[in-house]
Amino acid sequence: METDFQSAYQEEESRLNATIAEIDRQLERLRGIPVYTGHDFTEQVLEAGREEKRQALGKSLQEPYFGRLDFQEGSGERKPLYIGKIGVDQAEVGDQPMVIDWRAPVASLFYSFTGGEETASYEAPEGIIEGLVYLKRNVVIRKQILERVADTYNRESDQPAVSDEFLVYRLGENKDNRLRDIVSTIQAEQDRIIRAARNTALIIQGVAGSGKTTVALHRLAFLLYQYKDQVSADKMIIFAPNHMFLDYISDVLPELGVGDIQQSTFADWALQLLGLDLPLADNEETLRYWFETPGGMPEITDNVPGRFKGSIGFMQMIRDCLSSMESSSVPPGDFMPWEGATLARETILHWFNEEYKPYPLAKRKERVMARIHRWIEMELKKSPSAAALKDRKKKAAQREKSYANKWPKYEPLLLYKQMFKAVKTAGGWSEEALSGIPAAVLKSTQSDLKKDVIREEDLPALLYMHYLLNDITGEQRFDHIVIDEAQDFSPFQVAVLDLFVRGHSFTILGDLSQGIHAYRGVHSWEEMSSLFAPESTAYFALTRSYRSTMEIIEFANGILENGVKSDLLAVPVFRSGNPVRILPYHTGEAGRVRSLQEGLQQLAGGDYRTVAILTRTLTDAARLHEQLAPGIPDLHLIDGGKKAYEGGLSVLPVYLSKGLEFDAVIVADADLAHYGDQAWDAKLMYVGCTRALHELWIMHEDAVPQYLNNPQEDIVTSGWK
């Protein structure tokens, strides 16, 4: 076996050297061609192609590929196929590519084939291609050096397949402060999602650590490759929960050779589109109310502001109100620009209700007023004298302006204020139309709007009003939308976004078990899927967790079963680590701080690059940072205000940790004084525990919640290392 390995290593090293030499040759030739800077369009296109090739070859040079698949198509010749992030052609035209792009149809075999003697197949443009796989091999290349060769399948060997061995090796690597691509370890169930059809609203329920975010990013790269003539990167957008998360995922797409994809929070995008100068209300107040109220989380019903304003019922209410404005839009009475000239209201109504019916309300008003202006100009030409013309022009200008002011003002914010009676002017709808607004929501929103305060929960309504009044331009439509942490989005948000995307092309991903923002998000995926026709949506469940060790995942599953009462449990990859530690603090407040300091230093003293202490509230995190910083000066406080995740040592509230991951985690104050026995508390604890890749410590003062009384035999419940 050792001889076989040496032979395989030497074979791959020789192939690597040949590949690097070929890439070098192609790069040298392209760099030797002077960069064209002239104005000839054909030459500009050719230069853009050359520059794209230079960039691609430059990225490939250090790590040209990560896998090899020996495939025999039908009765043809057995060929070794090398799979990489970016395809590399041979210099000679017509030769098989030196490296096949991971997004190419044949490359799907590398991910979907898991062993066996049966015929394998993949879907190509010309149909289903069948054949035999003889070898599936993973390789690790770093800076042009071959570091590792691992065969996960060999048809001609009597050794058993070790499909998880390479995956476990890559998962065991420590994290830095950025999410990385997974092209070398994409699993079959992930690959099916990545390569799913474009015009579909994919809903992905993924357990913590299932790679759903990374899968969504790889799906964008695949769509750009597969549908390159139909979609463009600058017409795709990723909606993430906050700026820090956007920074955390920012390296994945460039690593895959994809640029120009928009990345934003929903709030930033909405405010820009609406052109509102008003600042959004600080989310801290909302987070403080829901996460830091003494005595636990307030009760969540469908009538709390976030749930009500995020409902499809509220969307329907807005549509009905604006629809009812239509009948009362045209002011009463005829229009008389001066004595003796009359434009009958019936004529204006005909223009508004018939000729310009296809246009939205604001555009209809614009066109009617423009038509009235043209009518005035025609009538002015009939003036008997220059003096009469001057007098009529003056009167017409005044009366035209006065008439325009009698029309409703089709401005989303003004109409929204009218809905909540935050301004004196009434909207053109009945009181009955708004009777469904809960009293508490009406009161709090009215108070906000009177002070020109807009909350994130108000944005879907304002966007929908903007759409109904103005429609949207082709420039504002997307080819594809990714929504991350979608369990925290409302149905109204998604319904509005569907107006801004072609063909219901969504990747919607989240985890209901991490739905700690249930006061504004969905409680089931049916709230999302019901927005689309059955043929336009698909549901995938990712249950395999790649983030954490078996010990951590099994411990977290216990929280789901006993606290959340959920059956959405994670299936761990066979990667074992240290047992979960549930440790009491040293006595007193000083003992608590000393315990956390000792734990942090002990974990950071090893090979771990990222270690976090997760507290129950932001107040706790700020106080603990102040207490620990003198002894640990490189400790970062993450309070939600930062736009970048800096890695290293961090302290942050558990509700801000969602979406992040760390080599080691300490969950502080994991006792009944901070975490109750309710399902919502258990979800918070689950989020905290599943941030850890390799090591998890639970630290407490008094009795812990029932869901932490886990029967695992290897949990350490006392003592220090």
Side-chain angles (χ1 to χ4, degrees):
M1 188 174 176
E2 182 66 26
T3 304
D4 291 343
F5 172 76
Q6 289 295 336
S7 174
Y9 187 89
Q10 289 166 2
E11 178 188 7
E12 295 303 340
E13 191 170 45
S14 175
R15 176 56 158 71
L16 174 61
N17 291 335
T19 303
I20 290 171
E22 175 63 24
I23 293 174
D24 263 331
R25 277 194 297 273
Q26 293 187 31
L27 259 179
E28 188 176 351
R29 181 182 65 80
L30 284 168
R31 287 171 176 168
I33 300 173
V35 176
Y36 181 77
T37 57
H39 301 289
D40 184 275
F41 179 73
T42 302
E43 288 296 331
Q44 288 175 345
V45 172
L46 291 172
E47 177 55 40
R50 287 193 294 269
E51 179 57 26
E52 185 179 346
K53 193 70 174 175
R54 292 184 197 107
Q55 296 288 339
L57 290 170
K59 287 180 180 293
S60 298
L61 191 59
Q62 298 302 311
E63 301 174 19
Y65 47 83
F66 53 80
R68 169 180 169 179
L69 191 84
D70 288 9
F71 183 63
Q72 180 185 21
E73 180 182 328
S75 58
E77 179 186 351
R78 169 180 167 180
K79 295 178 180 179
L81 309 175
Y82 284 84
I83 317 296
K85 290 182 187 177
I86 299 171
V88 179
D89 293 329
Q90 298 272 23
E92 293 79 17
V93 176
D95 279 0
Q96 178 180 307
M98 180 161 275
V99 179
I100 294 171
D101 192 295
W102 69 275
R103 298 167 291 185
V106 69
S108 66
L109 275 175
F110 185 76
Y111 303 116
S112 62
F113 181 77
T114 55
E117 301 292 316
E118 297 81 11
T119 300
S121 64
Y122 67 94
E123 187 174 351
E126 59 269 28
I128 301 297
I129 306 297
E130 295 185 334
L132 295 176
V133 173
Y134 281 86
L135 178 70
K136 182 178 175 182
R137 174 174 288 169
N138 293 92
V139 296
V140 177
I141 301 168
R142 287 196 176 94
K143 297 181 179 179
Q144 302 186 356
I145 296 172
L146 181 64
E147 291 190 353
R148 189 178 180 89
V149 176
D151 289 350
T152 55
Y153 174 78
N154 189 335
R155 181 180 288 270
E156 297 170 337
S157 171
D158 56 1
Q159 298 297 322
V162 285
S163 57
D164 274 353
E165 188 269 341
F166 182 76
L167 175 63
V168 171
Y169 163 74
R170 294 307 301 261
L171 294 176
E173 296 172 330
N174 290 334
K175 293 291 295 181
D176 56 17
N177 61 325
R178 289 289 191 278
L179 191 67
R180 297 298 177 194
D181 72 78
I182 58 167
V183 287
S184 65
T185 57
I186 292 172
Q187 302 299 291
E189 69 272 18
Q190 297 172 328
D191 190 60
R192 283 193 291 274
I193 295 171
I194 290 169
R195 297 175 190 267
R198 175 171 63 103
N199 288 336
T200 309
L202 294 190
I203 297 175
I204 304 166
Q205 160 60 40
V207 299
S210 57
K212 50 189 177 291
T213 298
T214 319
V215 166
L217 299 178
H218 286 64
R219 174 161 168 73
L220 290 175
F222 171 78
L223 292 174
L224 285 168
Y225 177 92
Q226 184 73 8
Y227 303 98
K228 53 181 174 287
D229 297 328
Q230 302 170 49
V231 302
S232 60
D234 62 348
K235 290 297 180 185
M236 293 178 161
I237 190 167
I238 302 163
F239 287 113
N242 52 56
H243 295 105
M244 187 170 64
F245 190 82
L246 286 169
D247 177 72
Y248 179 62
I249 67 173
S250 61
D251 283 351
V252 175
L253 291 170
E255 283 179 6
L256 296 173
V258 175
D260 298 327
I261 289 177
Q262 299 179 56
Q263 301 180 38
S264 179
T265 65
F266 179 85
D268 286 349
W269 169 77
L271 288 171
Q272 183 179 17
L273 188 140
L274 290 166
L276 289 177
D277 293 330
L278 299 177
L280 203 62
D282 194 339
N283 200 35
E284 252 185 59
E285 180 186 336
T286 301
L287 293 174
R288 210 164 35 241
Y289 174 77
W290 289 105
F291 291 97
E292 311 206 10
T293 298
M297 189 181 197
E299 183 185 5
I300 296 175
T301 69
D302 286 343
N303 286 337
V304 300
R307 286 283 293 173
F308 175 78
K309 292 182 190 175
S311 69
I312 298 303
F314 187 47
M315 184 181 190
Q316 179 67 50
M317 183 183 295
I318 291 171
R319 183 163 61 245
D320 291 345
C321 284
L322 266 63
S323 179
S324 69
M325 288 181 66
E326 185 175 337
S327 60
S328 59
S329 289
V330 177
D334 300 334
F335 173 64
M336 298 178 61
W338 59 83
E339 289 73 13
T342 301
L343 178 60
R345 184 170 187 264
E346 286 74 14
T347 302
I348 300 173
L349 283 169
H350 176 75
W351 293 344
F352 184 78
N353 292 326
E354 302 294 334
E355 293 195 29
Y356 301 124
K357 180 75 172 177
Y359 295 95
L361 280 175
K363 296 284 178 67
R364 286 163 74 180
K365 175 186 173 182
E366 284 178 16
R367 291 186 176 271
V368 168
M369 291 306 302
R371 185 80 170 264
I372 291 173
H373 186 76
R374 290 197 301 274
W375 177 83
I376 292 171
E377 289 180 333
M378 295 295 292
E379 292 297 306
L380 285 170
K381 291 179 180 179
K382 302 174 184 177
S383 299
S385 65
L389 174 63
K390 183 178 179 181
D391 181 61
R392 289 177 178 182
K393 269 189 175 180
K394 183 178 179 181
K395 286 181 177 177
Q398 293 171 343
R399 293 185 183 184
E400 186 179 1
K401 183 178 180 180
S402 175
Y403 185 74
N405 287 334
K406 293 178 181 178
W407 286 71
K409 289 183 171 59
Y410 297 125
E411 299 166 5
L413 183 56
L414 175 62
L415 294 178
Y416 196 61
K417 286 181 175 181
Q418 289 173 345
M419 283 188 72
F420 287 93
K421 303 177 183 177
V423 289
K424 292 181 180 178
T425 56
W429 49 74
S430 67
E431 287 291 316
E432 185 182 355
L434 303 176
S435 60
I437 300 177
V441 175
L442 178 63
K443 182 179 179 182
S444 63
T445 308
Q446 184 183 94
S447 174
D448 283 340
L449 293 175
K450 282 182 176 179
K451 296 178 286 189
D452 278 336
V453 171
I454 300 173
R455 300 190 180 276
E456 189 167 346
E457 65 204 30
D458 298 313
L459 293 176
L462 291 169
L463 282 168
Y464 189 50
M465 285 180 165
H466 172 84
Y467 167 79
L468 292 175
L469 295 171
N470 303 285
D471 205 349
I472 54 178
T473 65
E475 285 298 306
Q476 293 170 327
R477 277 195 166 85
F478 297 108
D479 291 332
H480 191 77
I481 293 176
V482 170
I483 303 175
D484 205 346
E485 300 291 348
Q487 75 279 351
D488 299 332
F489 266 57
S490 71
F492 196 173
Q493 278 178 285
V494 177
V496 166
L497 286 174
D498 192 37
L499 302 171
F500 287 83
V501 69
R502 295 178 177 87
H504 313 294
S505 191
F506 280 98
T507 303
I508 299 169
L509 54 137
D511 181 10
L512 294 176
S513 296
Q514 298 182 66
I516 60 175
H517 299 287
Y519 53 88
R520 68 169 191 257
V522 296
H523 297 175
S524 73
W525 289 123
E526 285 73 22
E527 293 183 65
M528 295 288 194
S529 62
S530 63
L531 301 174
F532 307 98
E535 64 272 15
S536 298
T537 187
Y539 175 83
F540 291 87
L542 291 174
T543 58
R544 205 171 185 213
S545 180
Y546 305 96
R547 176 185 295 150
S548 310
T549 62
M550 289 178 61
E551 289 80 2
I552 294 171
I553 291 173
E554 288 171 2
F555 182 79
N557 279 345
I559 296 172
L560 287 181
E561 286 184 297
N562 301 318
V564 180
K565 309 300 183 185
S566 170
D567 56 0
L568 298 171
L569 304 183
V571 178
V573 173
F574 188 80
R575 180 171 72 87
S576 190
N578 291 327
V580 174
R581 299 169 69 82
I582 302 180
L583 302 172
Y585 293 135
H586 298 305
T587 306
E589 176 61 18
R592 170 182 173 272
V593 175
R594 181 161 62 90
S595 299
L596 291 167
Q597 181 173 347
E598 289 174 2
L600 186 62
Q601 290 173 330
Q602 188 168 313
L603 289 168
D607 296 328
Y608 299 141
R609 298 177 186 174
T610 57
V611 183
I613 296 178
L614 305 181
T615 61
R616 174 62 181 76
T617 68
L618 179 56
T619 303
D620 294 339
R623 184 170 63 246
L624 185 59
H625 180 263
E626 184 179 344
Q627 293 167 326
L628 295 178
I632 310 175
D634 55 348
L635 179 66
H636 305 293
L637 172 64
I638 298 176
D639 59 4
K642 292 184 178 180
K643 293 193 175 183
Y645 168 51
E646 299 170 334
L649 309 181
S650 308
V651 57
L652 65 156
V654 65
Y655 59 82
L656 290 182
S657 71
K658 195 149 60 75
L660 301 177
E661 49 188 46
F662 311 91
D663 288 327
V665 165
I666 297 173
V667 179
D669 307 325
D671 43 52
L672 284 169
H674 295 83
Y675 293 87
D677 270 322
Q678 302 301 312
W680 183 79
D681 296 282
K683 286 185 178 182
L684 273 177
M685 182 63 68
Y686 174 74
V687 167
C689 293
T690 53
R691 300 309 94 199
L693 278 80
H694 310 302
E695 194 146 358
L696 172 64
W697 290 20
I698 308 289
M699 302 185 72
H700 63 97
E701 183 171 11
D702 299 317
V704 300
Q706 185 62 36
Y707 47 79
L708 289 184
N709 292 323
N710 202 307
Q712 281 177 246
E713 295 179 1
D714 56 355
I715 292 176
V716 177
T717 57
S718 63
W720 293 79
K721 289 184 181 178

